[in-house]
Amino acid sequence: MYKAIQLFPIIASAALLQACSTEQAYYAMRENQRQQCEKYIEQSQYEACMKQANESYDDYERRRKELAKQKP
């Protein structure tokens, strides 16, 4: 029991670091996407691209989980 208590902070820290790095990677990818949006000449394409690129990580996670539930 004592070892489990000692390991909990390590496991919790590892989970937090993973979540943090995943979110950081998401935002880095979105920044790259925003730069790619600049290449669109047509306004409607640019706006659609930017809308997707500006999606928050929380919204992305929520949508991803909903889609995962729908898969058989």
Side-chain angles (χ1 to χ4, degrees), residues 4-44:
I5 292 172
Q6 286 179 323
L7 288 177
F8 180 75
I10 295 169
I11 294 170
S13 296
L16 267 173
L17 286 174
Q18 176 62 33
C20 189
S21 63
T22 301
E23 187 172 351
Q24 288 173 341
Y26 172 81
Y27 281 115
M29 190 174 62
R30 290 302 186 191
E31 180 58 35
N32 186 43
Q33 185 179 3
R34 278 190 283 279
Q35 292 173 3
Q36 295 298 316
C37 292
E38 298 293 328
K39 295 179 181 179
Y40 288 113
I41 296 170
E42 196 172 311
Q43 187 68 22
S44 62

